[in-house]
Amino acid sequence: MAAFAIAAFAMAGAAEPVRAQGTLRLAMTSSDIPTTTGMPNNGFEGMRFLGYPVFESLVLWDLTTTDRLAPLRPGLAERWEQVAEDPKTWRFHLRRGVTFHDGTPFDADAVIWNLERYFNKESAQFEPPAAGIVRARAPIMTGYRKIDDMTVAITTASPASYFPYMTALILLSSPASFEKAGRDWAKVGTQGSAGTGPFKIASVAPRERVELVRHDGYWDQAKKAKLDKVILQPIPEANARLAALRSGQVDWIEVPPADGIPSLKQAGFAITTGSYPHVWPWFYNIGATNSPFRDVRVRQALNYCVDRDSIVALLNGTAEPAIGWLKASDPDFGKPVNRYRFDPAKGKALLAEAGFTAQKPLSFKVMISTSGSGQMSPLPMNEFMQASLKEACGVEVDFVVTEWQVLLNNMRALPDAPALNGAMSLNISSPSSDPSVMARYFAAAGVPPNGFNFAQWKDDAFEAAFARLAAAVDPKVVAEATAVAHERLVDNPPWLYIVHDLNPRAMSSKVKGFVSPQSWFVDLTLVSMR
């Protein structure tokens, strides 16, 4: 498979004309290009490269610094506020003078049109795949309305101080793109929709490439892109990405194979790493019939059976051990009773208390992907996990191997869904950037299809702490409540926490200006080619 991928990519590269100055060729980990209708699939890698560079949201991220988690900044809304007399309502004041790439105006009507596309099944523009993504990322939205041409109001099911973080994940595209394609989202996908971002889609070749070109009419002249063009290409196999970089067919690869990093450095390629809000776990399927993970002792036991330091070594130091959803150094980590470490004796004792012994070992299936956004090196990492859990604690693990987008879809599956093929766990990397993410993955209200609480986990102490967090506006109260909530995520774990990624990328020395922010996203407007 790897040889075929390299050969196919080489043929595609051979047909490419000589690139102009300022063209960046970038190899993604996905097996296909993200969807180009305005709400890309393929997880946050899709958002990273075919989301924010082309389409924007009312609220954006500041991706220019590395010393702290990426904060929010004004986007297509110049400002917003939580309405004092009705804290379930947020008012967004839109940026004036913005147009989509096709020249049509951005205004309140365009915002409402997009929200109807995601939330109203009866609207002509309803797009089910995009709607599924947005609804899961903003599960607390209950309504929206136009106040005037440049103001919209959005309501939530309950007061939520973190709602602007959810808003940042709702991308907006031109209604005219849908009309131009005969109101056919499939046709929009072949042409690419128009956004408001610093790049616009120039051409789309499914499973091969998407070409983006600089949008010279971008509304923020201070953020105008330096590059003339970005060519995005899906290369899911890690060694194929490595070969493409070495041969000069691409300039930038996501997630270089760990064993190739020393030789890349020696050959003069730049390797960038940096802390960012990311955890690589196994999600427990607590809700499945006869799931062993209904017993908290089993969930805790596996967290003591993982040799995290050896996985970090396997990854050539491009990760760090994870003993919770947040990093242990995070001020909101709290003071949980359990401080997970590699302790097979404790793990086996907990398993024995739950009825699993050498004579009756714990056995289950995990659904994993071959590649994908934030998945690091899923095959060797999961093979190591399989062998290590067997050796350390006698746990027998089998894998259901699938494609990344299929795995993502299954995160919203019901516990006994046939699509899971009996899997009692899913290996899906997760952001840990803000309370809105905590809500989507762990709040009881976020069970599928409303959110990403695949585990069907519910903890009363967590719910109480999170309710306090959601209602608070004082940062001190938010921090205190977050710490209490996180303590429950450790002591009553819905996941097996394995490692935190350090976001490795490999680039040609010709790539200049890249900043590795503490975010899942990047700012391509900063990048240039020498």
Side-chain angles (χ1 to χ4, degrees):
M1 181 180 291
F4 176 79
I6 295 171
F9 184 72
M11 286 188 289
E16 180 185 325
V18 176
R19 63 193 175 104
Q21 174 124 15
T23 296
L24 171 69
R25 301 163 302 167
L26 192 154
M28 304 171 62
T29 68
S30 57
S31 59
D32 196 357
I33 61 170
T35 46
T36 58
T37 59
M39 179 48 67
N41 63 3
N42 276 285
F44 274 5
E45 186 176 48
M47 291 286 283
R48 184 182 307 136
F49 295 125
L50 260 175
Y52 297 116
V54 180
F55 309 99
E56 296 178 306
S57 48
L58 297 175
V59 181
L60 292 173
W61 304 92
D62 181 353
L63 303 171
T64 61
T65 61
T66 61
D67 61 345
R68 64 191 187 283
L69 288 177
L72 297 177
R73 66 178 176 91
L76 294 177
E78 294 179 325
R79 58 188 173 88
W80 56 89
E81 69 267 354
Q82 192 172 17
V83 177
E85 60 272 21
D86 179 13
K88 293 190 292 184
T89 298
W90 290 79
R91 192 180 294 123
F92 293 87
H93 303 272
L94 307 184
R95 189 174 298 278
R96 296 178 182 276
V98 177
T99 59
F100 291 102
H101 299 148
D102 56 18
T104 58
F106 168 78
D107 54 19
D109 289 331
V111 174
I112 299 300
W113 184 93
N114 275 275
L115 296 178
E116 289 279 278
R117 165 192 175 193
Y118 298 135
F119 291 97
N120 183 1
K121 292 182 179 180
E122 304 304 318
S123 68
Q125 66 268 32
F126 184 69
E127 185 188 6
I133 294 170
V134 172
R135 289 179 178 197
R137 290 176 179 169
I140 63 173
M141 272 188 61
T142 57
Y144 40 85
R145 61 186 175 88
K146 173 182 174 180
I147 296 176
D148 58 41
D149 286 348
M150 301 306 293
T151 314
V152 296
I154 299 178
T155 57
T156 58
S158 58
S161 58
Y162 53 81
F163 182 65
Y165 288 99
M166 289 186 172
T167 308
L169 300 176
I170 303 174
L171 302 183
L172 307 173
S173 60
S174 169
S177 296
F178 183 63
E179 297 296 331
K180 181 181 177 182
R183 298 191 167 196
D184 182 345
W185 282 116
K187 186 177 285 188
V188 176
T190 65
Q191 300 170 350
S193 189
T196 59
F199 292 91
K200 56 186 178 182
I201 296 173
S203 65
V204 179
R207 294 196 175 273
E208 182 183 339
R209 68 175 58 195
V210 177
E211 294 193 6
L212 311 180
V213 296
R214 182 178 61 239
H215 176 43
D216 289 326
Y218 185 48
W219 58 265
D220 188 350
Q221 287 299 301
K223 296 290 293 179
K224 188 175 177 179
K226 297 178 174 65
L227 293 165
D228 297 318
K229 182 185 293 187
V230 177
I231 300 174
L232 303 173
Q233 308 197 43
I235 309 180
E237 208 281 317
N239 286 320
R241 290 195 300 277
L242 180 65
L245 181 65
R246 285 186 175 281
S247 65
Q249 294 172 2
V250 298
D251 309 297
W252 164 333
I253 64 172
E254 294 286 282
V255 196
D259 57 3
I261 288 177
S263 62
L264 283 173
K265 289 181 177 178
Q266 190 174 21
F269 292 96
I271 306 295
T272 70
T273 58
S275 175
Y276 79 121
H278 174 280
V279 60
W280 194 88
W282 286 359
F283 295 6
Y284 293 131
N285 187 349
I286 298 171
T289 304
N290 300 321
S291 170
F293 300 121
R294 291 176 182 268
D295 192 322
V296 67
R297 294 170 297 187
V298 176
R299 291 181 266 135
Q300 292 173 339
L302 292 190
N303 273 291
Y304 283 109
C305 290
V306 176
D307 186 356
R308 298 172 177 86
D309 289 336
S310 292
I311 296 181
V312 170
L314 174 73
L315 295 170
N316 235 316
T318 59
E320 53 190 324
I323 59 173
W325 186 63
L326 297 174
K327 296 185 180 185
S329 59
D330 194 296
D332 295 336
F333 187 87
K335 297 178 180 179
V337 174
N338 289 275
R339 194 77 175 191
Y340 297 123
R341 61 197 179 278
F342 185 43
D343 190 343
K346 184 161 188 172
K348 286 190 283 190
L350 284 166
L351 287 173
E353 288 178 21
F356 296 102
T357 63
Q359 292 72 39
K360 183 190 173 185
L362 173 64
S363 176
F364 62 96
K365 293 196 290 186
V366 183
M367 182 171 283
I368 68 173
S369 65
T370 54
S371 64
S373 168
Q375 290 296 88
M376 306 175 68
S377 301
L379 293 181
M381 291 172 72
N382 279 301
E383 287 167 357
F384 179 92
M385 286 285 294
Q386 182 183 48
S388 179
L389 288 173
K390 174 70 174 177
E391 181 180 352
C393 292
V395 176
E396 298 177 355
V397 175
D398 290 315
F399 296 125
V400 179
V401 184
T402 189
E403 194 270 328
W404 171 232
Q405 187 58 46
V406 173
L407 181 58
L408 278 179
N409 293 343
N410 282 334
M411 180 165 55
R412 298 196 291 272
L414 295 177
D416 291 313
L420 295 174
N421 290 311
M424 289 292 155
S425 186
L426 303 183
N427 169 222
I428 299 178
S429 57
S430 160
S432 53
S433 53
D434 59 82
S436 77
V437 180
M438 184 182 278
R440 292 202 305 276
Y441 281 93
F442 305 117
V447 298
N450 298 323
F452 295 153
N453 187 353
F454 168 81
Q456 304 265 331
W457 181 76
K458 186 177 187 300
D459 181 282
D460 291 341
F462 173 90
E463 293 290 319
F466 198 83
R468 183 172 175 236
L469 180 164
V473 293
D474 183 342
K476 182 179 179 181
V477 175
V478 170
E480 290 172 352
T482 302
V484 172
H486 188 262
E487 288 168 1
R488 299 308 303 151
L489 292 178
V490 176
D491 289 332
N492 183 17
W495 295 357
L496 171 55
Y497 306 109
I498 303 170
V499 292
H500 298 294
D501 188 8
L502 290 181
N503 212 10
R505 295 181 170 93
M507 302 177 184
S508 160
S509 59
K510 296 178 181 179
V511 179
K512 302 298 181 184
F514 173 70
V515 171
S516 181
Q518 291 192 38
S519 171
W520 279 63
F521 312 115
V522 298
D523 189 342
L524 288 180
T525 68
L526 303 174
V527 177
S528 61
M529 296 294 292
R530 187 177 64 186

